[in-house]
Amino acid sequence: MARRRDALRWALAGALGLALPAGTAVLASRRPARSTPDGAGGGDSVTPGPTPSPPPPEAFTAPLPVPEVLRPVDTSGGVDRYEIRQRPGIQQIWGGIDTEVWGYEGRFPGPTIEARRGRPVAVTHHNELPVPTVVHLHGAVVAAEHDGYPTDFVLPASGDWASDPVLLAHSTHTVAGVVTGSRTYHYPNVQPAATLWYHDHRMSFSGPQQYRGLVGFYLIRDEVEDSLPLPRDDRELPLMIADRTFEPDGSLFYPAADPTLHRPGVALNYHHSGMLGDTVVVNGVAWPFCEVDGARYRLRLVNASNARVYQLALDPPPPDGSGFVQIGSDLGLLTAPVRHDTFLISPGERYDVVVDFGAYPPGSTVLLRNTLADGPPGYVMRFDVAGRVADDAAVPSTLVPEEEPLPPASTSADQSFSFISGPEGTGLPGMINMRTFDGARVDASVLSDTTEVWDITADPQHPVHLHQAHFRVLSRDGGPPAAQDTGWKDTVFVPEGGVRLAVRFPDYRGRYVFHCHNLEHADSGMMANLEIE
Ligand code: C2O
Ligand code: CU
């Protein structure tokens, strides 16, 4: 279907002699074929693929941008206050061609918010887009009214959304209600230093709206982290990885059933796999390169893709192997670093790793590869290593104090949830425990300030995210957790064999959600209500 669209566009452009921006035709003709599904939920197994075909010609031609840190508009009263306009913007993502995005401050990704543990932040979001929006701070411990419950819509100031039938049906069950124009979200930041990210969460439309660009970093810092000799400043790089597909004119391709985003749903052939793009974008640029010193760098990786799962590896690996020294998980620093040659990152997950480029000879080029994909999505970005420099950064063997012990993996589960994709090609919705999302139904009822053991199974494989709760992986596939399961998490890649989790519910009450972070799955109904009492 996608290929036919291209063919049709090209036929039209040729027949009508449409003027295309210089360079478009050349680049567009080199555009990789639309990828075949190889992300979460596609049913493919998670094993490294063969040596990939060479990188696409437009790869590694643009430098890596780092999103700007947003300045607070006010810091009085012990609260940092920010204003964000959600609006369309133009930026060059690949091949120097203009692409329209919907972004926080008109940018994809949006500006980064830097918060301090214990110091509250209030962000006022103004919706200047043509669609309702909802903002969720992924990984945050926050009051339910500020969590971005999917039906807590912020309607655009203009338009007749208030009478939209889908929106009206969704508005029957809200937590903070529906507002017009803007909403202020309050974040207490009562949690350790971590890489969080904020993104759109509009009920049934989180896929198309995040894909358009409504994603951004939110970093919490604290004194524990400050006291460690980790790489910092220019040697701390936030990397938001997201795959996209572009039309030859530079616009974003998304298979929405209704391009105006009034009626939900995606084209049938994207329903099961989710939207898998053929181009890997990091911080808003396709396959960027980054010049680095021969020194240690801290990479804060976020997988902000709608559906794609990456198995990241450095190519070539450093001479002594273990190119990635993991220092943090979704929710902050680990007690001790964990070394990896490669690790898997599914949508919504964060990995905080240190890479020592000083281990490479000066002048090396190091590819960040995704060994799950052959072809263009097998490449993420390139690091160009300059000369060795003095480097006083280090990764201590103890990062944060030891935790209280976890419940043993043999503890029987308090609750079990099975995440199931509708059969391929049927367009049937995703489900949790054989039910699609219903705002009126409570699917998991728990007590605040408690820990429960949850079993999660998946058919075939799903990245599962819990709002508000944080968890540790007790077992995976019936065996011990993987090395990369270490630490506190809010999102976990669930294989067919399932995972067992120790889930901690903080001392807050109210209604939150948990869902698959394959956004097309979540949008089709693979989401459930979590009531904390
Ligand atoms: Cu990152 Cu409910 O989402
Ligand atoms: Cu899923």
Side-chain angles (χ1 to χ4, degrees):
M1 175 252 176
R3 216 168 277 123
R4 213 174 56 228
R5 284 170 65 105
D6 270 358
L8 188 67
R9 262 160 210 275
W10 284 108
L12 277 174
L16 304 174
L18 294 182
L20 293 167
T24 309
V26 175
L27 280 165
S29 66
R30 290 185 193 150
R31 297 299 298 148
R34 307 274 190 222
S35 63
T36 47
D38 49 357
D44 303 63
S45 64
V46 175
T47 45
T51 313
S53 20
E58 61 267 58
F60 321 129
T61 53
L64 173 81
V66 172
E68 193 180 301
V69 175
L70 193 63
R71 288 229 200 92
V73 292
D74 181 53
T75 57
S76 62
V79 180
D80 293 337
R81 292 178 192 280
Y82 295 90
E83 301 270 340
I84 292 182
R85 290 173 305 154
Q86 307 173 347
R87 56 178 178 83
I90 300 282
Q91 73 189 55
Q92 296 177 343
I93 302 176
W94 69 275
I97 295 172
D98 286 350
T99 295
E100 189 189 286
V101 299
W102 286 352
Y104 299 112
E105 292 297 307
R107 296 198 296 275
F108 158 53
T112 297
I113 292 180
E114 292 208 0
R116 292 295 299 183
R117 182 177 190 179
R119 185 175 168 91
V121 158
V123 188
T124 303
H125 279 271
H126 303 278
N127 182 359
E128 297 172 10
L129 293 167
V131 293
T133 62
V134 173
V135 182
H136 170 57
L137 179 54
H138 182 130
V141 171
V142 57
E145 319 79 276
H146 298 287
D147 189 53
Y149 189 78
T151 53
D152 287 350
F153 302 114
V154 179
L155 306 183
S158 57
D160 53 0
W161 284 97
S163 59
D164 180 77
V166 172
L167 187 119
L168 276 175
H170 285 163
S171 307
T172 334
H173 301 280
T174 69
V175 170
V178 176
V179 296
T180 298
S182 63
R183 178 178 331 258
T184 301
Y185 295 87
H186 291 269
Y187 304 122
N189 303 316
V190 287
Q191 60 191 103
T195 306
L196 311 187
W197 61 299
Y198 63 105
H199 62 68
D200 192 73
H201 218 303
R202 177 186 166 199
M203 179 77 195
S204 302
F205 297 90
S206 64
Q209 299 197 171
Q210 287 183 44
Y211 188 88
R212 284 284 194 124
L214 291 168
V215 294
F217 282 101
Y218 185 107
L219 309 180
I220 300 182
R221 300 185 184 276
D222 68 10
E223 271 137 45
V224 178
E225 182 188 55
D226 289 348
S227 71
L228 296 169
L230 299 170
R232 60 183 74 233
D233 303 323
D234 287 352
R235 298 204 187 134
E236 181 194 305
L237 297 174
L239 300 177
M240 190 170 277
I241 304 174
D243 60 334
R244 297 289 185 266
T245 295
F246 299 88
E247 299 285 6
D249 67 0
S251 59
L252 285 162
F253 164 83
Y254 187 85
D258 169 11
T260 70
L261 305 186
H262 283 75
R263 282 179 299 104
V266 292
L268 194 58
N269 51 335
Y270 289 88
H271 192 92
H272 189 82
S273 63
M275 175 59 208
L276 294 165
D278 56 21
T279 302
V280 181
V281 175
V282 185
N283 293 352
V285 162
W287 300 291
F289 69 86
C290 180
E291 285 172 13
V292 292
D293 296 326
R296 289 179 187 82
Y297 279 74
R298 176 178 182 180
L299 310 180
R300 295 173 176 263
L301 295 151
V302 176
N303 183 353
S305 306
N306 282 35
R308 184 175 293 282
V309 176
Y310 303 78
Q311 180 80 37
L312 297 178
L314 295 171
D315 179 12
D320 296 332
S322 298
F324 300 113
V325 179
Q326 187 192 346
I327 55 169
S329 57
D330 294 339
L331 291 169
L333 293 168
L334 305 177
T335 55
V338 179
R339 305 177 77 86
H340 305 286
D341 287 314
T342 175
F343 63 92
L344 182 133
I345 183 167
S346 67
E349 284 188 296
R350 283 88 70 210
Y351 280 86
D352 203 335
V353 299
V354 171
V355 172
D356 185 3
F357 292 106
Y360 290 93
S364 303
T365 53
V366 182
L367 297 174
L368 182 61
R369 278 205 29 218
N370 164 28
T371 61
L372 277 186
D374 188 17
Y379 294 89
V380 178
M381 65 176 290
R382 190 180 76 192
F383 295 97
D384 298 345
V385 184
R388 277 202 194 101
V389 295
D391 183 10
D392 51 11
V395 180
S397 56
T398 301
L399 295 162
V400 296
E402 273 306 329
E403 304 283 345
E404 75 269 28
L406 297 173
S410 57
T411 316
S412 61
D414 297 296
Q415 317 215 30
S416 303
F417 298 97
S418 108
F419 285 63
I420 303 165
S421 290
E424 198 159 1
T426 60
L428 287 173
M431 294 183 286
I432 300 174
N433 287 354
M434 300 312 287
R435 292 159 140 184
T436 56
F437 182 72
D438 178 351
R441 185 186 68 229
V442 173
D443 301 279
S445 169
V446 301
L447 295 177
S448 67
D449 201 15
T450 58
T451 301
E452 289 198 355
V453 174
W454 281 23
D455 274 350
I456 309 218
T457 54
D459 181 8
Q461 300 167 332
H462 301 278
V464 171
H465 171 47
L466 275 60
H467 286 212
Q468 187 72 355
H470 44 265
F471 55 77
R472 304 287 296 247
V473 179
L474 297 178
S475 75
R476 166 176 292 279
D477 255 332
Q484 67 165 90
D485 287 327
T486 312
W488 286 104
K489 294 181 63 58
D490 54 54
T491 307
V492 62
F493 187 69
V494 182
E496 276 153 282
V499 293
R500 177 163 287 186
L501 308 176
V503 189
R504 181 81 200 146
F505 301 99
D507 196 6
Y508 281 80
R509 283 159 191 77
R511 183 162 295 189
Y512 299 86
V513 292
F514 60 106
H515 58 89
C516 180
H517 220 287
N518 177 314
L519 301 179
E520 285 68 36
H521 291 184
D523 285 347
S524 85
M526 201 182 289
M527 182 162 75
N529 271 318
L530 166 68
E531 187 80 30
I532 307 180
E533 280 156 23

